[in-house]
Amino acid sequence: MTNDIIERIKQNVIQGRMDKEDEGFNGGMVSQPGVKELVQQALDEGVDPRRIVVAGLTEAMKIVGDKFEAKEYFIPDMLASAETVGAAMDILAPYLAKSGVASKGKVLMATVKGDLHDIGKNIVTIILKGAGYEVKDLGADVGPEAIVASVREEKPDLLGLSALLTTTMVAMKETIDSLAQAGLRDRVKVIIGGAPTSVEFAAEIGADGYGADAFHAVRVVEELRQAS
Ligand code: B1M
């Protein structure tokens, strides 16, 4: 039963179907529940919201990426799927976030310069908030200068950087180097993540940690917090 609704959420993200009004990429799906209705139904049935994120939304976006690579999907198709994930996360956020928990620390999050992919960063943001962190999201395509200025002003305990493109992951190193030049590197722990990054890349550019996914990111943030 749980597997069935997760599979339907996944298929509807791939079809870019926000709600029952949408036809879907393959057409002919009007009046069937879309992502919004299915996510709410899953929550009402008691499905773990983390499962919806990992097995439903994230898995679906991997398939969307494969379809883009295979030239079956184009940018508008990727965007339609991305928008359904954004809407699903709006519904899931209150279920993933605990309220009334004292802040464990302050985190600044950004997708780096030149990179518009913000879904993963948004998920990490919501999960960190749910784990009790105060998180300020600087957005996507954020240059090193803006990040340095925010670190100086906000004095976060941690800085989270996300990149989805092999061409933009270099901006993570630029950002860390800019923090060092500004004399701020020792004041903030830096964790990176995003599909092209790795634990080795994190070490190479002088980051303090690497998160493979949003839940792993929280564990790494906890470890960094306890170590400092
Ligand atoms: Co683009 N895109 N895209 N795209 N896109 C990829 C990344 C790509 C792999 C698709 C493909 O070809 N298979 C490919 C990159 C290839 C490469 O670099 N080698 C690609 C490309 C080429 C492009 C363009 C260049 C296409 C073009 O214009 N020709 C262009 C670039 C625009 C730009 O950024 N300047 C582009 C544009 C877009 C859209 C705007 C249409 C849209 C983004 C919409 C948005 O984000 N608001 C889009 C999308 C949707 C994708 C795919 C299909 C899905 C990305 C996603 O949201 N995944 C993607 C294919 C793929 O990833 N397989 C693709 C779901 C998300 C939950 O996962 O972001 O990995 P992810 O986040 C995970 C983990 O990585 C981790 O936790 C998250 C949750 O578990 N994580 C962190 C992420 N950040 C973290 C930070 C942390 C810790 C963990 O600590 C701080």
Side-chain angles (χ1 to χ4, degrees), residues 177-213:
D177 290 349
S178 298
L179 282 173
Q181 278 156 22
L184 295 168
R185 182 64 189 93
D186 296 339
R187 297 208 209 150
V188 65
K189 298 277 183 200
V190 181
I191 169 171
I192 67 160
T197 66
S198 62
V199 71
E200 291 80 18
F201 179 69
E204 190 186 313
I205 65 171
D208 299 297
Y210 158 74
D213 59 42

PDB file of all heavy atoms in Angstrom, residues 177-213:
ATOM      1  N   ASP A 177      37.861  29.928  -0.626  1.00  0.00           N
ATOM      2  CA  ASP A 177      39.056  30.783  -0.714  1.00  0.00           C
ATOM      3  C   ASP A 177      38.713  32.233  -0.345  1.00  0.00           C
ATOM      4  O   ASP A 177      39.495  32.912   0.328  1.00  0.00           O
ATOM      5  CB  ASP A 177      39.654  30.737  -2.131  1.00  0.00           C
ATOM      6  CG  ASP A 177      40.282  29.377  -2.432  1.00  0.00           C
ATOM      7  OD1 ASP A 177      40.442  28.573  -1.484  1.00  0.00           O
ATOM      8  OD2 ASP A 177      40.605  29.111  -3.612  1.00  0.00           O
ATOM      9  N   SER A 178      37.549  32.693  -0.785  1.00  0.00           N
ATOM     10  CA  SER A 178      37.144  34.079  -0.470  1.00  0.00           C
ATOM     11  C   SER A 178      36.926  34.253   1.028  1.00  0.00           C
ATOM     12  O   SER A 178      37.236  35.307   1.592  1.00  0.00           O
ATOM     13  CB  SER A 178      35.851  34.455  -1.206  1.00  0.00           C
ATOM     14  OG  SER A 178      36.062  34.396  -2.577  1.00  0.00           O
ATOM     15  N   LEU A 179      36.384  33.206   1.664  1.00  0.00           N
ATOM     16  CA  LEU A 179      36.199  33.278   3.126  1.00  0.00           C
ATOM     17  C   LEU A 179      37.559  33.406   3.814  1.00  0.00           C
ATOM     18  O   LEU A 179      37.727  34.183   4.753  1.00  0.00           O
ATOM     19  CB  LEU A 179      35.518  32.001   3.640  1.00  0.00           C
ATOM     20  CG  LEU A 179      34.012  31.872   3.448  1.00  0.00           C
ATOM     21  CD1 LEU A 179      33.564  30.474   3.855  1.00  0.00           C
ATOM     22  CD2 LEU A 179      33.257  32.922   4.257  1.00  0.00           C
ATOM     23  N   ALA A 180      38.539  32.632   3.314  1.00  0.00           N
ATOM     24  CA  ALA A 180      39.886  32.680   3.904  1.00  0.00           C
ATOM     25  C   ALA A 180      40.498  34.069   3.703  1.00  0.00           C
ATOM     26  O   ALA A 180      41.060  34.651   4.647  1.00  0.00           O
ATOM     27  CB  ALA A 180      40.761  31.602   3.268  1.00  0.00           C
ATOM     28  N   GLN A 181      40.352  34.600   2.484  1.00  0.00           N
ATOM     29  CA  GLN A 181      40.910  35.933   2.206  1.00  0.00           C
ATOM     30  C   GLN A 181      40.287  37.002   3.101  1.00  0.00           C
ATOM     31  O   GLN A 181      40.939  37.975   3.472  1.00  0.00           O
ATOM     32  CB  GLN A 181      40.697  36.316   0.744  1.00  0.00           C
ATOM     33  CG  GLN A 181      41.748  35.708  -0.184  1.00  0.00           C
ATOM     34  CD  GLN A 181      41.247  35.583  -1.619  1.00  0.00           C
ATOM     35  OE1 GLN A 181      40.320  36.288  -2.011  1.00  0.00           O
ATOM     36  NE2 GLN A 181      41.835  34.676  -2.375  1.00  0.00           N
ATOM     37  N   ALA A 182      39.012  36.811   3.434  1.00  0.00           N
ATOM     38  CA  ALA A 182      38.321  37.788   4.287  1.00  0.00           C
ATOM     39  C   ALA A 182      38.607  37.537   5.773  1.00  0.00           C
ATOM     40  O   ALA A 182      38.059  38.232   6.639  1.00  0.00           O
ATOM     41  CB  ALA A 182      36.818  37.712   4.018  1.00  0.00           C
ATOM     42  N   GLY A 183      39.418  36.525   6.073  1.00  0.00           N
ATOM     43  CA  GLY A 183      39.763  36.226   7.469  1.00  0.00           C
ATOM     44  C   GLY A 183      38.627  35.566   8.229  1.00  0.00           C
ATOM     45  O   GLY A 183      38.596  35.585   9.472  1.00  0.00           O
ATOM     46  N   LEU A 184      37.680  34.946   7.490  1.00  0.00           N
ATOM     47  CA  LEU A 184      36.486  34.370   8.149  1.00  0.00           C
ATOM     48  C   LEU A 184      36.473  32.839   8.153  1.00  0.00           C
ATOM     49  O   LEU A 184      35.570  32.230   8.725  1.00  0.00           O
ATOM     50  CB  LEU A 184      35.211  34.852   7.437  1.00  0.00           C
ATOM     51  CG  LEU A 184      34.921  36.348   7.501  1.00  0.00           C
ATOM     52  CD1 LEU A 184      33.801  36.719   6.517  1.00  0.00           C
ATOM     53  CD2 LEU A 184      34.524  36.743   8.913  1.00  0.00           C
ATOM     54  N   ARG A 185      37.476  32.211   7.519  1.00  0.00           N
ATOM     55  CA  ARG A 185      37.395  30.758   7.334  1.00  0.00           C
ATOM     56  C   ARG A 185      37.337  29.986   8.654  1.00  0.00           C
ATOM     57  O   ARG A 185      36.670  28.967   8.758  1.00  0.00           O
ATOM     58  CB  ARG A 185      38.593  30.282   6.480  1.00  0.00           C
ATOM     59  CG  ARG A 185      38.593  28.801   6.188  1.00  0.00           C
ATOM     60  CD  ARG A 185      37.384  28.408   5.343  1.00  0.00           C
ATOM     61  NE  ARG A 185      37.237  26.962   5.224  1.00  0.00           N
ATOM     62  CZ  ARG A 185      36.492  26.218   6.031  1.00  0.00           C
ATOM     63  NH1 ARG A 185      35.840  26.774   7.051  1.00  0.00           N
ATOM     64  NH2 ARG A 185      36.377  24.929   5.827  1.00  0.00           N
ATOM     65  N   ASP A 186      38.064  30.496   9.670  1.00  0.00           N
ATOM     66  CA  ASP A 186      38.099  29.767  10.946  1.00  0.00           C
ATOM     67  C   ASP A 186      36.830  29.970  11.779  1.00  0.00           C
ATOM     68  O   ASP A 186      36.640  29.317  12.794  1.00  0.00           O
ATOM     69  CB  ASP A 186      39.285  30.241  11.799  1.00  0.00           C
ATOM     70  CG  ASP A 186      40.592  29.900  11.115  1.00  0.00           C
ATOM     71  OD1 ASP A 186      40.563  28.996  10.264  1.00  0.00           O
ATOM     72  OD2 ASP A 186      41.609  30.553  11.412  1.00  0.00           O
ATOM     73  N   ARG A 187      35.996  30.893  11.341  1.00  0.00           N
ATOM     74  CA  ARG A 187      34.813  31.202  12.158  1.00  0.00           C
ATOM     75  C   ARG A 187      33.589  30.392  11.769  1.00  0.00           C
ATOM     76  O   ARG A 187      32.555  30.472  12.413  1.00  0.00           O
ATOM     77  CB  ARG A 187      34.464  32.686  12.003  1.00  0.00           C
ATOM     78  CG  ARG A 187      35.568  33.551  12.507  1.00  0.00           C
ATOM     79  CD  ARG A 187      35.008  34.862  12.977  1.00  0.00           C
ATOM     80  NE  ARG A 187      36.005  35.900  12.809  1.00  0.00           N
ATOM     81  CZ  ARG A 187      35.733  37.155  12.569  1.00  0.00           C
ATOM     82  NH1 ARG A 187      34.480  37.540  12.447  1.00  0.00           N
ATOM     83  NH2 ARG A 187      36.689  38.022  12.447  1.00  0.00           N
ATOM     84  N   VAL A 188      33.672  29.651  10.651  1.00  0.00           N
ATOM     85  CA  VAL A 188      32.491  28.924  10.182  1.00  0.00           C
ATOM     86  C   VAL A 188      32.902  27.565   9.602  1.00  0.00           C
ATOM     87  O   VAL A 188      33.911  27.459   8.910  1.00  0.00           O
ATOM     88  CB  VAL A 188      31.718  29.790   9.142  1.00  0.00           C
ATOM     89  CG1 VAL A 188      32.538  30.033   7.876  1.00  0.00           C
ATOM     90  CG2 VAL A 188      30.382  29.196   8.782  1.00  0.00           C
ATOM     91  N   LYS A 189      32.132  26.542   9.935  1.00  0.00           N
ATOM     92  CA  LYS A 189      32.362  25.226   9.327  1.00  0.00           C
ATOM     93  C   LYS A 189      31.628  25.209   7.985  1.00  0.00           C
ATOM     94  O   LYS A 189      30.507  25.729   7.882  1.00  0.00           O
ATOM     95  CB  LYS A 189      31.763  24.118  10.197  1.00  0.00           C
ATOM     96  CG  LYS A 189      32.379  24.039  11.572  1.00  0.00           C
ATOM     97  CD  LYS A 189      33.647  23.256  11.544  1.00  0.00           C
ATOM     98  CE  LYS A 189      34.221  23.112  12.936  1.00  0.00           C
ATOM     99  NZ  LYS A 189      35.632  22.780  12.935  1.00  0.00           N
ATOM    100  N   VAL A 190      32.259  24.595   6.977  1.00  0.00           N
ATOM    101  CA  VAL A 190      31.637  24.562   5.653  1.00  0.00           C
ATOM    102  C   VAL A 190      31.311  23.120   5.276  1.00  0.00           C
ATOM    103  O   VAL A 190      32.178  22.250   5.317  1.00  0.00           O
ATOM    104  CB  VAL A 190      32.562  25.182   4.580  1.00  0.00           C
ATOM    105  CG1 VAL A 190      31.878  25.149   3.208  1.00  0.00           C
ATOM    106  CG2 VAL A 190      32.943  26.610   4.954  1.00  0.00           C
ATOM    107  N   ILE A 191      30.038  22.902   4.923  1.00  0.00           N
ATOM    108  CA  ILE A 191      29.621  21.576   4.428  1.00  0.00           C
ATOM    109  C   ILE A 191      29.116  21.758   2.998  1.00  0.00           C
ATOM    110  O   ILE A 191      28.430  22.733   2.705  1.00  0.00           O
ATOM    111  CB  ILE A 191      28.558  20.925   5.345  1.00  0.00           C
ATOM    112  CG1 ILE A 191      27.949  19.699   4.669  1.00  0.00           C
ATOM    113  CG2 ILE A 191      27.473  21.863   5.759  1.00  0.00           C
ATOM    114  CD1 ILE A 191      27.054  18.863   5.555  1.00  0.00           C
ATOM    115  N   ILE A 192      29.503  20.825   2.132  1.00  0.00           N
ATOM    116  CA  ILE A 192      29.065  20.911   0.736  1.00  0.00           C
ATOM    117  C   ILE A 192      28.243  19.686   0.360  1.00  0.00           C
ATOM    118  O   ILE A 192      28.296  18.650   1.029  1.00  0.00           O
ATOM    119  CB  ILE A 192      30.261  21.047  -0.235  1.00  0.00           C
ATOM    120  CG1 ILE A 192      31.111  19.762  -0.248  1.00  0.00           C
ATOM    121  CG2 ILE A 192      31.108  22.274   0.072  1.00  0.00           C
ATOM    122  CD1 ILE A 192      31.976  19.622  -1.483  1.00  0.00           C
ATOM    123  N   GLY A 193      27.501  19.820  -0.746  1.00  0.00           N
ATOM    124  CA  GLY A 193      26.736  18.688  -1.258  1.00  0.00           C
ATOM    125  C   GLY A 193      26.205  18.982  -2.647  1.00  0.00           C
ATOM    126  O   GLY A 193      26.368  20.092  -3.162  1.00  0.00           O
ATOM    127  N   GLY A 194      25.564  17.984  -3.238  1.00  0.00           N
ATOM    128  CA  GLY A 194      25.070  18.110  -4.614  1.00  0.00           C
ATOM    129  C   GLY A 194      25.687  17.007  -5.454  1.00  0.00           C
ATOM    130  O   GLY A 194      26.819  16.593  -5.187  1.00  0.00           O
ATOM    131  N   ALA A 195      24.938  16.559  -6.467  1.00  0.00           N
ATOM    132  CA  ALA A 195      25.311  15.353  -7.216  1.00  0.00           C
ATOM    133  C   ALA A 195      26.770  15.252  -7.675  1.00  0.00           C
ATOM    134  O   ALA A 195      27.366  14.188  -7.538  1.00  0.00           O
ATOM    135  CB  ALA A 195      24.358  15.188  -8.401  1.00  0.00           C
ATOM    136  N   PRO A 196      27.404  16.312  -8.217  1.00  0.00           N
ATOM    137  CA  PRO A 196      28.774  16.087  -8.728  1.00  0.00           C
ATOM    138  C   PRO A 196      29.842  16.126  -7.631  1.00  0.00           C
ATOM    139  O   PRO A 196      31.008  15.857  -7.914  1.00  0.00           O
ATOM    140  CB  PRO A 196      28.980  17.255  -9.698  1.00  0.00           C
ATOM    141  CG  PRO A 196      28.087  18.334  -9.199  1.00  0.00           C
ATOM    142  CD  PRO A 196      26.936  17.665  -8.502  1.00  0.00           C
ATOM    143  N   THR A 197      29.464  16.445  -6.405  1.00  0.00           N
ATOM    144  CA  THR A 197      30.460  16.583  -5.333  1.00  0.00           C
ATOM    145  C   THR A 197      30.662  15.249  -4.613  1.00  0.00           C
ATOM    146  O   THR A 197      29.895  14.299  -4.811  1.00  0.00           O
ATOM    147  CB  THR A 197      30.043  17.677  -4.321  1.00  0.00           C
ATOM    148  OG1 THR A 197      28.876  17.246  -3.641  1.00  0.00           O
ATOM    149  CG2 THR A 197      29.773  19.008  -5.011  1.00  0.00           C
ATOM    150  N   SER A 198      31.686  15.181  -3.794  1.00  0.00           N
ATOM    151  CA  SER A 198      31.998  13.924  -3.092  1.00  0.00           C
ATOM    152  C   SER A 198      32.805  14.268  -1.844  1.00  0.00           C
ATOM    153  O   SER A 198      33.263  15.409  -1.684  1.00  0.00           O
ATOM    154  CB  SER A 198      32.853  13.029  -3.986  1.00  0.00           C
ATOM    155  OG  SER A 198      34.082  13.685  -4.271  1.00  0.00           O
ATOM    156  N   VAL A 199      33.015  13.250  -1.027  1.00  0.00           N
ATOM    157  CA  VAL A 199      33.809  13.462   0.176  1.00  0.00           C
ATOM    158  C   VAL A 199      35.256  13.830  -0.212  1.00  0.00           C
ATOM    159  O   VAL A 199      35.888  14.683   0.418  1.00  0.00           O
ATOM    160  CB  VAL A 199      33.702  12.226   1.107  1.00  0.00           C
ATOM    161  CG1 VAL A 199      34.441  11.030   0.562  1.00  0.00           C
ATOM    162  CG2 VAL A 199      34.138  12.526   2.501  1.00  0.00           C
ATOM    163  N   GLU A 200      35.737  13.246  -1.301  1.00  0.00           N
ATOM    164  CA  GLU A 200      37.102  13.547  -1.769  1.00  0.00           C
ATOM    165  C   GLU A 200      37.180  14.997  -2.246  1.00  0.00           C
ATOM    166  O   GLU A 200      38.140  15.715  -1.944  1.00  0.00           O
ATOM    167  CB  GLU A 200      37.504  12.626  -2.942  1.00  0.00           C
ATOM    168  CG  GLU A 200      37.711  11.179  -2.566  1.00  0.00           C
ATOM    169  CD  GLU A 200      36.397  10.400  -2.447  1.00  0.00           C
ATOM    170  OE1 GLU A 200      35.368  10.866  -2.975  1.00  0.00           O
ATOM    171  OE2 GLU A 200      36.400   9.337  -1.797  1.00  0.00           O
ATOM    172  N   PHE A 201      36.160  15.435  -2.991  1.00  0.00           N
ATOM    173  CA  PHE A 201      36.162  16.807  -3.492  1.00  0.00           C
ATOM    174  C   PHE A 201      36.108  17.790  -2.317  1.00  0.00           C
ATOM    175  O   PHE A 201      36.784  18.823  -2.318  1.00  0.00           O
ATOM    176  CB  PHE A 201      34.977  17.013  -4.452  1.00  0.00           C
ATOM    177  CG  PHE A 201      34.883  18.407  -5.014  1.00  0.00           C
ATOM    178  CD1 PHE A 201      35.843  18.872  -5.920  1.00  0.00           C
ATOM    179  CD2 PHE A 201      33.858  19.264  -4.635  1.00  0.00           C
ATOM    180  CE1 PHE A 201      35.767  20.170  -6.426  1.00  0.00           C
ATOM    181  CE2 PHE A 201      33.775  20.556  -5.142  1.00  0.00           C
ATOM    182  CZ  PHE A 201      34.730  21.000  -6.042  1.00  0.00           C
ATOM    183  N   ALA A 202      35.311  17.434  -1.303  1.00  0.00           N
ATOM    184  CA  ALA A 202      35.221  18.306  -0.118  1.00  0.00           C
ATOM    185  C   ALA A 202      36.604  18.480   0.507  1.00  0.00           C
ATOM    186  O   ALA A 202      37.015  19.605   0.840  1.00  0.00           O
ATOM    187  CB  ALA A 202      34.242  17.710   0.897  1.00  0.00           C
ATOM    188  N   ALA A 203      37.329  17.371   0.630  1.00  0.00           N
ATOM    189  CA  ALA A 203      38.668  17.447   1.227  1.00  0.00           C
ATOM    190  C   ALA A 203      39.600  18.279   0.340  1.00  0.00           C
ATOM    191  O   ALA A 203      40.366  19.123   0.834  1.00  0.00           O
ATOM    192  CB  ALA A 203      39.226  16.037   1.413  1.00  0.00           C
ATOM    193  N   GLU A 204      39.478  18.072  -0.953  1.00  0.00           N
ATOM    194  CA  GLU A 204      40.355  18.774  -1.925  1.00  0.00           C
ATOM    195  C   GLU A 204      40.186  20.297  -1.853  1.00  0.00           C
ATOM    196  O   GLU A 204      41.164  21.038  -1.963  1.00  0.00           O
ATOM    197  CB  GLU A 204      39.959  18.253  -3.305  1.00  0.00           C
ATOM    198  CG  GLU A 204      40.858  18.640  -4.448  1.00  0.00           C
ATOM    199  CD  GLU A 204      40.219  18.149  -5.762  1.00  0.00           C
ATOM    200  OE1 GLU A 204      39.782  16.983  -5.833  1.00  0.00           O
ATOM    201  OE2 GLU A 204      40.133  18.969  -6.696  1.00  0.00           O
ATOM    202  N   ILE A 205      38.965  20.771  -1.661  1.00  0.00           N
ATOM    203  CA  ILE A 205      38.741  22.227  -1.669  1.00  0.00           C
ATOM    204  C   ILE A 205      38.768  22.825  -0.264  1.00  0.00           C
ATOM    205  O   ILE A 205      38.532  24.007  -0.083  1.00  0.00           O
ATOM    206  CB  ILE A 205      37.413  22.600  -2.378  1.00  0.00           C
ATOM    207  CG1 ILE A 205      36.179  22.057  -1.627  1.00  0.00           C
ATOM    208  CG2 ILE A 205      37.422  22.126  -3.829  1.00  0.00           C
ATOM    209  CD1 ILE A 205      34.847  22.572  -2.168  1.00  0.00           C
ATOM    210  N   GLY A 206      39.027  21.980   0.738  1.00  0.00           N
ATOM    211  CA  GLY A 206      39.143  22.503   2.105  1.00  0.00           C
ATOM    212  C   GLY A 206      37.820  22.716   2.821  1.00  0.00           C
ATOM    213  O   GLY A 206      37.736  23.521   3.753  1.00  0.00           O
ATOM    214  N   ALA A 207      36.768  21.973   2.387  1.00  0.00           N
ATOM    215  CA  ALA A 207      35.495  22.033   3.136  1.00  0.00           C
ATOM    216  C   ALA A 207      35.633  21.138   4.369  1.00  0.00           C
ATOM    217  O   ALA A 207      36.495  20.265   4.422  1.00  0.00           O
ATOM    218  CB  ALA A 207      34.350  21.556   2.255  1.00  0.00           C
ATOM    219  N   ASP A 208      34.771  21.349   5.357  1.00  0.00           N
ATOM    220  CA  ASP A 208      34.850  20.545   6.590  1.00  0.00           C
ATOM    221  C   ASP A 208      34.031  19.268   6.494  1.00  0.00           C
ATOM    222  O   ASP A 208      34.246  18.336   7.274  1.00  0.00           O
ATOM    223  CB  ASP A 208      34.346  21.374   7.777  1.00  0.00           C
ATOM    224  CG  ASP A 208      35.188  22.622   7.976  1.00  0.00           C
ATOM    225  OD1 ASP A 208      36.383  22.475   8.269  1.00  0.00           O
ATOM    226  OD2 ASP A 208      34.658  23.729   7.778  1.00  0.00           O
ATOM    227  N   GLY A 209      33.041  19.253   5.584  1.00  0.00           N
ATOM    228  CA  GLY A 209      32.196  18.069   5.506  1.00  0.00           C
ATOM    229  C   GLY A 209      31.470  17.976   4.185  1.00  0.00           C
ATOM    230  O   GLY A 209      31.394  18.947   3.418  1.00  0.00           O
ATOM    231  N   TYR A 210      30.922  16.779   3.936  1.00  0.00           N
ATOM    232  CA  TYR A 210      30.172  16.511   2.701  1.00  0.00           C
ATOM    233  C   TYR A 210      28.906  15.741   3.058  1.00  0.00           C
ATOM    234  O   TYR A 210      28.971  14.775   3.830  1.00  0.00           O
ATOM    235  CB  TYR A 210      31.048  15.685   1.739  1.00  0.00           C
ATOM    236  CG  TYR A 210      30.258  14.927   0.704  1.00  0.00           C
ATOM    237  CD1 TYR A 210      29.679  15.593  -0.378  1.00  0.00           C
ATOM    238  CD2 TYR A 210      30.047  13.541   0.806  1.00  0.00           C
ATOM    239  CE1 TYR A 210      28.930  14.910  -1.325  1.00  0.00           C
ATOM    240  CE2 TYR A 210      29.307  12.847  -0.143  1.00  0.00           C
ATOM    241  CZ  TYR A 210      28.754  13.544  -1.200  1.00  0.00           C
ATOM    242  OH  TYR A 210      28.005  12.871  -2.132  1.00  0.00           O
ATOM    243  N   GLY A 211      27.787  16.175   2.500  1.00  0.00           N
ATOM    244  CA  GLY A 211      26.532  15.454   2.726  1.00  0.00           C
ATOM    245  C   GLY A 211      26.062  14.809   1.439  1.00  0.00           C
ATOM    246  O   GLY A 211      25.872  15.495   0.433  1.00  0.00           O
ATOM    247  N   ALA A 212      25.868  13.487   1.469  1.00  0.00           N
ATOM    248  CA  ALA A 212      25.436  12.775   0.256  1.00  0.00           C
ATOM    249  C   ALA A 212      23.960  13.048  -0.046  1.00  0.00           C
ATOM    250  O   ALA A 212      23.554  13.115  -1.193  1.00  0.00           O
ATOM    251  CB  ALA A 212      25.664  11.277   0.432  1.00  0.00           C
ATOM    252  N   ASP A 213      23.175  13.177   1.004  1.00  0.00           N
ATOM    253  CA  ASP A 213      21.768  13.555   0.838  1.00  0.00           C
ATOM    254  C   ASP A 213      21.361  14.374   2.058  1.00  0.00           C
ATOM    255  O   ASP A 213      22.176  14.604   2.961  1.00  0.00           O
ATOM    256  CB  ASP A 213      20.864  12.317   0.653  1.00  0.00           C
ATOM    257  CG  ASP A 213      20.954  11.363   1.825  1.00  0.00           C
ATOM    258  OD1 ASP A 213      20.983  11.835   2.979  1.00  0.00           O
ATOM    259  OD2 ASP A 213      20.998  10.142   1.600  1.00  0.00           O
TER     260      ASP A 213
END
